[in-house]
Amino acid sequence: MIEAGDIEEAMNAAAKIGDDALQKQSQGYFVPDSFTHGTSAQRMKWFNAGYATGDTNSCNTFNAVVL
């Protein structure tokens, strides 16, 4: 069951564990060409996609249509 604040906590976690955030924290800058797990913004986007639809297929980054 989701409680009040759970979504905010998930978004906060996604923001903190993106490759950009982790690299910036550890070395003071980030190198986009070295990203392997997505940026904070990408992680937040895909979490929201899955949460909004309730369908894990909607957050399948491997089958996403790139515009």
Side-chain angles (χ1 to χ4, degrees), residues 3-14 47:
E3 297 178 7
D6 287 347
I7 301 306
E8 291 81 10
E9 286 184 36
M11 296 300 285
N12 186 39
F47 174 85

Side-chain angles (χ1 to χ4, degrees), residues 31-35:
V31 182
D33 291 341
S34 69
F35 292 173

Side-chain angles (χ1 to χ4, degrees), residues 7-38:
I7 301 306
E8 291 81 10
E9 286 184 36
M11 296 300 285
N12 186 39
K16 289 182 178 180
I17 61 171
D19 287 337
D20 54 336
L22 292 174
Q23 286 183 8
K24 179 95 175 175
Q25 181 182 4
S26 68
Q27 61 194 28
Y29 59 93
F30 57 88
V31 182
D33 291 341
S34 69
F35 292 173
T36 57
H37 295 93

